[in-house]
Amino acid sequence: MKIFYSFLCFFILIFNSFSQSKASELFENGVSEQLANFRKRQISDLQYTLFFEIPNQKAENIDSKLFVNLNLSDLSQPLILDFKEKTSNIKTVEANGKKLSIVHENGHIVIPVSALVSGKNTVSISFIAGNLSLNRNDDFLYTLLVPDRASTLFPCFDQPDLKAAYKLRLSVPKEWSVLAGADVKEKLEKGDFTAYTFGESDKMSTYLFSFVAGKFKSATQKPGLKMTMLYRENSPEKFRVSADTIFNLHQQSLNFLEKYTNYKFPFQKLDFASIPVFQYGGMEHVGAIQYRESTLFLDNSATDSEKLNRAKLIAHETSHMWFGDLVTMKWFDDVWMKEVFANFMADKIMNPIFPKVNHNLQFFTAHYPSAFAEDRSLGTHPIKQHLANLKDAGSLYGAIIYNKAPIMMRQLEASMGKEAFQKGIQKYIQKYANDNADWNNLVELLDAETPLDMKKWSDVWVNKSGGAIFTDKIEYDAKNRIKSFEIQQQAEDKSDNIWPQVFQIGLVYTKEVKVLSVNINDKNTAVKEAIGLEKPIAVVYNYNGFGYGVFPLDGNNLNYIADLKDEMARASIYSNLYENTLIGNVSPEKAFECFLRGIQTEQNELVLRIATGSLNTIYWRFFTEKQQNKVQKKIEGVLYERLQANLSANIKKTLFGLFSSIAYSNSAKASLYKVWNREISIPNLKLNEDDYTNMAMNLAIFKHPKADEILEKTRTSFTNPDKQNRFEFLLPSLSKDESVRNAFMESLKDDANREKESWVSVGLANVNHPLRQESAQKYIRFSLDLVDEIQRTGDIFFPKDWLDNTVGKYSSKFAFDEVQRFLKENPNFSPILKRKLFQATDLLYKAQNIKKETE
């Protein structure tokens, strides 16, 4: 009866207020553009007051209360709040002191016009907090509300351009600590609980509101700005080695950003929490950043790359305080803007912090391989994507916005000039501080600082997908001197798109390399500087790593690569070799041999990572079992010999990572076991607890005779309970018993077993390892059938992670056919998820073509 009454009230309200067509636009599931635009006109001066009573047991409900104060200027339509929870979670609704009937449909709470007044209004709602994005563990919890998950926790106007101030009160078990976007103003103990009242926060979008509560330790430092960190890491050594660095990196990032933007740190505080099971590397909540604990706390075994990655992560999240938090996109189709600036600024911040690092090389290795991986796939998309409804905003995230967009921005800065670019950015921050802006707003400001046609330039880089495939035409005269040198650009998708860009070409000679600069603005570009030069041994395109595309490469002339003195050039050509292999210009066998030669001589950790990663992929994804057997002893021998040589700890760690991933022959397993069991020690190889855990997992997958003993010894070795819980979760995925692994996969049908998404991803990778695919391939269809539910219940990166670690692990014809069958039987499969599927299965698709060519 109650449900019928709610439906009746809802439809009477709708038809009395406006037309049925208008209703369908505003009241559809999620937040449509139409609803967002109307609310932006309707609502101003928004403030939330929230109370959450958090019990001791995570299974118990969290009783909550909301007060919304706001101004209304348009009463032609009702006030529509978003609350994507069960109607039974709503206890009472009041507007301006008057109790109302509960009208809750399609994730919206409707306040009728009759209960509202022009000007100031107050809405109060008693409710049970939603659990979907309130990540509850036995002794801690944390909110993660990006991009549209605030409305799964509490009723709100869940769109980025309705910024609000928050007043928060939390009641938590008395042994718990708390962290939120403002400072604690009052603390009151009540029996077994403590009530914390926070001051009013700065204005922020709903996705940036957060709080953390639980059994955490706390550390406070003042490297400049006073900062507090909550953490659970219980290793005294890791804390001693890491704590000062963590605080100082935040301060160094602040100092750089204040100077670059000419705008002081814009918020009350910069506190942060380190969370063991956090889904991402970090999240830029105002006043309360959240990080994955393993990325922050390093020990003395950490490589330079690991230290640099931590610093970049901190710089990335700190950059968001200006780019995303202070100036926020109007709508989530411009979510890439906050991410491109966070990554772009983080790369700049690293220069003074790590003066010995080749930052051009670091930028290349951080962004190019990941950008290529998605942009070359059938699931590619433009940097800027149209978003009709905020419920689909999670699908926008990926390597295109995190990695291709910074490449685009660096090309733009190079084309404009650094000073002009910075001046435009400063104007952008100043003009839109505490407000919202879109790409067109930024383009308008940048356009005033440069003769470059910004609209034309950004149209292809921002609004078009894919990249260029370059070819060349070089002619020589009778004296073997260059007579003509032309570069042709063709869009990978065969369109007429031209990517304007600058890069260098290296002409390799016996005693030198002549470096030429190229500015591409058309389909055909003449390299006039090359005319008259002697014929080189080789031509290295993208010598400085600035260019974006697949460049010409002579697959029969690869021996010179490892001998190139310029480390950026080596990284660029190794990356280009891999891309040429994927499109069939170079055979996997020749590419493998080239990478193996490079591994034997490479002294730069970042370049070595490209070579080892590419070799590992070719070995597992594109070699037949016969080919693997043919090269296995050779590669094991090369790696083990190099591990005994006098090399830096960083190089040793990278080489050992490759060895550990392919050491499944009997002799290699025996050696790996001895390292794991500490029977042998490799000189200058520094290993930590996580390394030994990974070795144990590999040994189990490789079917070491003592696998059960190895896993049990590992399980009982942890001193950190969070790490022990993670390993125990993973144990079924490591079992030698196929039925146990099957039970693990079946358990993932229940979304409660998928809560720890980063754990699930590792477990899926264990089950679907290439050595286990014969038994696991029956779960390919199972995994595909679950994707739609994964999208509904998981966080933004989980659908892609799920696909990457299931069907994305395969190269077989069987897996390819399963994907084709699934798509044929599901013609209405979500276009968004289809794109993620194509991205995840790019190497599966490439493998079918490569195998045809080698047969």
Side-chain angles (χ1 to χ4, degrees):
M1 187 68 184
K2 183 178 178 182
I3 294 174
F4 173 77
Y5 180 72
S6 294
F7 269 106
L8 182 62
C9 289
F10 177 75
F11 284 109
I12 289 174
L13 172 68
I14 297 304
F15 284 106
N16 283 345
S17 299
F18 41 85
S19 70
Q20 186 174 9
S21 62
K22 193 71 175 178
S24 65
E25 292 175 354
L26 296 186
F27 286 87
E28 64 183 73
N29 277 314
V31 178
S32 66
E33 280 186 287
Q34 291 85 353
L35 174 59
N37 290 336
F38 173 73
R39 290 198 303 206
K40 180 61 177 174
R41 296 192 303 270
Q42 181 188 38
I43 297 168
S44 61
D45 299 327
L46 184 60
Q47 182 197 70
Y48 297 101
T49 300
L50 282 160
F51 304 100
F52 295 98
E53 296 184 9
I54 299 170
N56 263 312
Q57 302 299 317
K58 72 174 186 179
E60 294 180 17
N61 289 335
I62 296 178
D63 291 325
S64 309
K65 183 78 174 179
L66 166 72
F67 294 90
V68 183
N69 294 304
L70 72 169
N71 272 6
L72 295 177
S73 58
D74 185 340
L75 296 182
S76 65
Q77 296 174 15
L79 183 65
I80 304 170
L81 290 93
D82 311 315
F83 189 50
K84 294 191 287 189
E85 259 299 334
K86 302 185 294 290
T87 302
S88 58
N89 277 27
I90 307 170
K91 297 179 180 180
T92 62
V93 177
E94 295 183 7
N96 298 317
K98 181 181 178 181
K99 190 171 182 179
L100 305 176
S101 298
I102 296 171
V103 179
H104 181 238
E105 298 296 336
N106 286 344
H108 301 297
I109 297 174
V110 181
I111 310 298
V113 172
S114 59
L116 303 170
V117 297
S118 181
K120 294 183 179 180
N121 289 260
T122 299
V123 175
S124 60
I125 301 174
S126 296
F127 64 100
I128 297 170
N131 280 319
L132 182 63
S133 299
L134 185 56
N135 298 269
R136 300 178 72 176
N137 296 266
D138 289 334
D139 57 357
F140 70 94
L141 57 81
Y142 60 95
T143 62
L144 184 57
L145 307 181
V146 64
D148 65 331
R149 296 297 183 88
S151 55
T152 68
L153 175 61
F154 64 95
C156 60
F157 306 101
D158 207 359
Q159 61 190 73
D161 61 348
L162 286 177
K163 291 188 173 184
Y166 290 80
K167 291 182 177 179
L168 174 66
R169 189 176 73 187
L170 295 176
S171 173
V172 301
K174 64 181 181 181
E175 66 273 19
W176 285 21
S177 301
V178 295
L179 183 69
D183 287 323
V184 173
K185 296 300 182 184
E186 184 180 301
K187 177 181 177 181
L188 182 63
E189 292 192 6
K190 295 181 179 180
D192 293 333
F193 294 87
T194 301
Y196 292 89
T197 301
F198 295 83
E200 183 171 287
S201 74
D202 300 291
K203 283 191 174 182
M204 68 182 87
S205 303
T206 46
Y207 79 91
L208 293 168
F209 169 75
S210 79
F211 58 84
V212 177
K215 291 183 178 179
F216 288 88
K217 300 173 187 176
S218 177
T220 299
Q221 288 192 19
K222 192 176 181 182
L225 180 71
K226 183 181 178 182
M227 307 175 203
T228 295
M229 171 175 64
L230 299 188
Y231 65 99
R232 287 172 64 86
E233 176 59 59
N234 65 354
S235 165
E237 183 206 2
K238 282 190 176 182
F239 183 81
R240 178 184 59 78
V241 170
S242 299
D244 289 350
T245 302
I246 293 168
F247 283 100
N248 288 333
L249 286 169
H250 281 89
Q251 187 62 50
Q252 288 170 303
S253 299
L254 282 180
N255 294 343
F256 177 91
L257 288 156
E258 286 184 337
K259 184 176 180 181
Y260 187 90
T261 63
N262 195 30
Y263 198 100
K264 286 289 186 182
F265 175 64
F267 299 110
Q268 298 174 25
K269 65 190 186 83
L270 186 71
D271 294 341
F272 41 94
S274 167
I275 300 169
V277 295
F278 195 62
Q279 292 92 318
Y280 320 146
M283 178 60 203
E284 68 270 18
H285 302 117
V286 172
I289 299 172
Q290 295 170 4
Y291 294 104
R292 184 182 296 175
E293 192 150 81
S294 61
T295 62
L296 288 191
F297 287 95
L298 305 176
D299 58 23
N300 285 322
S301 72
T303 68
D304 288 346
S305 284
E306 289 169 329
K307 294 174 184 176
L308 181 62
N309 288 339
R310 172 178 62 186
K312 276 197 66 178
L313 174 63
I314 289 171
H316 177 105
E317 303 307 336
T318 308
S319 296
H320 271 310
M321 300 301 110
W322 283 261
F323 300 97
D325 295 8
L326 176 66
V327 181
T328 310
M329 63 273 164
K330 292 179 181 178
W331 187 237
F332 260 90
D333 55 3
D334 275 320
V335 65
W336 68 273
M337 288 181 65
K338 74 184 183 75
E339 299 304 337
V340 66
F341 277 116
N343 266 347
F344 191 65
M345 291 298 153
D347 288 312
K348 286 183 176 295
I349 292 166
M350 292 304 98
N351 289 325
I353 297 177
F354 290 85
K356 295 181 181 179
V357 169
N358 182 333
H359 291 283
N360 185 31
L361 172 60
Q362 192 279 326
F363 184 98
F364 184 90
T365 56
H367 297 303
Y368 279 73
S370 297
F372 287 147
E374 288 193 3
D375 215 14
R376 75 167 99 88
S377 75
L378 294 174
T380 185
H381 58 78
I383 291 174
K384 181 180 175 69
Q385 306 166 71
H386 176 68
L387 181 68
N389 192 302
L390 204 60
K391 66 183 174 63
D392 298 321
S395 67
L396 303 179
Y397 289 79
I400 300 295
I401 70 169
Y402 280 98
N403 301 114
K404 184 181 180 182
I407 295 168
M408 174 277 292
M409 199 63 79
R410 186 171 70 157
Q411 282 284 343
L412 177 56
E413 182 188 51
S415 300
M416 287 184 64
K418 289 186 177 182
E419 290 184 7
F421 180 83
Q422 183 177 359
K423 188 177 178 182
I425 297 305
Q426 289 179 349
K427 288 182 176 180
Y428 169 74
I429 292 292
Q430 187 68 45
K431 182 173 182 177
Y432 294 104
N434 297 306
D435 204 347
N436 301 79
D438 61 20
W439 174 241
N440 291 330
N441 297 137
L442 177 57
V443 166
E444 182 181 348
L445 293 172
L446 293 177
D447 197 47
E449 304 299 328
T450 177
L452 187 70
D453 186 340
M454 277 294 304
K455 187 177 185 304
K456 181 180 178 182
W457 191 95
S458 70
D459 185 53
V460 65
W461 274 102
V462 177
N463 298 323
K464 300 292 191 299
S465 62
I469 295 180
F470 293 92
T471 55
D472 62 11
K473 184 179 180 182
I474 306 173
E475 294 181 352
Y476 300 94
D477 62 19
K479 295 181 179 180
N480 256 351
R481 293 185 177 274
I482 297 174
K483 185 169 71 172
S484 65
F485 192 138
E486 187 177 78
I487 302 173
Q488 297 96 30
Q489 179 183 162
Q490 173 66 60
E492 193 169 8
D493 62 4
K494 309 302 181 185
S495 69
D496 292 329
N497 295 328
I498 299 295
W499 280 265
Q501 53 185 295
V502 294
F503 56 82
Q504 292 177 346
I505 297 175
L507 304 181
V508 181
Y509 298 96
T510 305
K511 295 183 178 181
E512 66 173 336
V513 177
K514 289 188 182 296
V515 180
L516 311 177
S517 295
V518 181
N519 190 340
I520 301 288
N521 284 301
D522 209 339
K523 278 185 177 288
N524 302 301
T525 302
V527 185
K528 295 178 181 178
E529 288 182 73
I531 306 301
L533 297 177
E534 292 181 8
K535 182 177 182 179
I537 296 169
V539 180
V540 179
Y541 286 88
N542 202 21
Y543 195 82
N544 62 343
F546 263 63
Y548 186 76
V550 182
F551 295 90
L553 184 68
D554 182 359
N556 295 312
N557 180 22
L558 301 174
N559 291 333
Y560 67 92
I561 298 176
D563 297 326
L564 286 172
K565 292 182 179 180
D566 191 298
E567 56 197 16
M568 180 62 252
R570 295 197 303 276
S572 179
I573 198 166
Y574 280 137
S575 173
N576 194 41
L577 170 59
Y578 179 71
E579 296 302 319
N580 272 273
T581 304
L582 295 185
I583 63 175
N585 288 345
V586 180
S587 71
E589 294 85 357
K590 287 184 178 179
F592 183 90
E593 288 299 323
C594 183
F595 289 127
L596 188 58
R597 281 195 302 274
I599 286 169
Q600 294 176 61
T601 58
E602 186 57 58
Q603 298 291 323
N604 183 286
E605 180 190 354
L606 295 176
V607 180
L608 184 62
R609 284 178 178 270
I610 292 180
T612 56
S614 300
L615 183 142
N616 197 33
T617 300
I618 290 171
Y619 180 86
W620 286 115
R621 305 303 299 269
F622 303 133
F623 273 5
T624 63
E625 186 176 351
K626 183 178 179 181
Q627 288 173 309
Q628 288 174 347
N629 292 336
K630 183 179 178 181
V631 302
Q632 187 173 12
K633 285 189 177 181
K634 182 178 180 180
I635 187 174
E636 288 174 357
V638 165
L639 288 171
Y640 203 75
E641 182 179 345
R642 282 219 82 197
L643 285 168
Q644 310 309 314
N646 183 22
L647 300 170
S648 72
N650 297 328
I651 296 296
K652 285 282 183 80
K653 194 78 173 278
T654 304
L655 291 170
F656 185 76
L658 177 59
F659 176 76
S660 179
S661 72
I662 62 169
Y664 64 93
S665 71
N666 290 334
S667 59
K669 265 189 298 195
S671 297
L672 187 62
Y673 174 80
K674 288 179 180 178
V675 175
W676 174 84
N677 206 33
R678 295 173 171 82
E679 295 175 27
I680 59 175
S681 176
I682 297 175
N684 206 31
L685 176 63
K686 298 177 180 179
L687 300 172
N688 58 30
E689 184 180 50
D690 293 340
D691 296 319
Y692 283 100
T693 300
N694 290 334
M695 274 189 275
M697 293 197 294
N698 284 340
L699 286 166
I701 292 170
F702 296 161
K703 297 182 180 179
H704 191 278
K706 295 184 178 181
D708 290 341
E709 177 187 320
I710 292 167
L711 293 177
E712 178 58 22
K713 186 175 179 180
T714 301
R715 187 188 69 82
T716 57
S717 68
F718 293 102
T719 56
N720 185 316
D722 293 320
K723 289 188 175 183
Q724 182 172 17
N725 290 339
R726 173 184 180 271
F727 190 74
E728 288 179 347
F729 174 87
L730 294 174
L731 275 174
S733 73
L734 295 164
S735 176
K736 64 184 178 185
D737 188 335
E738 184 180 337
S739 66
V740 174
R741 301 199 301 272
N742 290 346
F744 172 81
M745 290 297 295
E746 293 290 341
S747 74
L748 298 180
K749 287 180 180 176
D750 185 349
D751 63 352
N753 295 324
R754 303 193 300 264
E755 286 182 353
K756 307 294 190 298
E757 293 176 357
S758 61
W759 297 4
V760 173
S761 295
V762 175
L764 290 171
N766 291 338
V767 171
N768 292 286
H769 188 279
L771 295 175
R772 290 175 154 184
Q773 288 180 357
E774 188 174 338
S775 64
Q777 63 183 7
K778 60 179 174 288
Y779 284 103
I780 292 174
R781 183 56 186 262
F782 166 91
S783 302
L784 292 171
D785 288 336
L786 266 179
V787 172
D788 192 54
E789 183 181 337
I790 299 296
Q791 172 81 358
R792 288 197 306 271
T793 60
D795 279 297
I796 54 180
F797 297 112
F798 194 41
K800 176 68 165 28
D801 285 347
W802 175 273
L803 290 166
D804 280 342
N805 290 293
T806 53
V807 65
K809 289 289 182 185
Y810 288 77
S811 300
S812 65
K813 180 68 163 52
F814 176 88
F816 179 78
D817 289 342
E818 284 287 84
V819 172
Q820 301 311 303
R821 190 177 302 113
F822 171 80
L823 292 172
K824 184 177 180 180
E825 293 174 2
N826 293 273
N828 297 319
F829 185 54
S830 161
I832 292 167
L833 290 177
K834 184 184 291 187
R835 190 168 65 217
K836 298 293 182 187
L837 175 59
F838 284 147
Q839 291 170 1
T841 56
D842 180 57
L843 294 185
L844 171 62
Y845 277 67
K846 295 287 194 298
Q848 309 314 303
N849 294 329
I850 288 173
K851 287 176 180 177
K852 284 179 184 177
E853 291 167 4
T854 56
E855 285 174 355

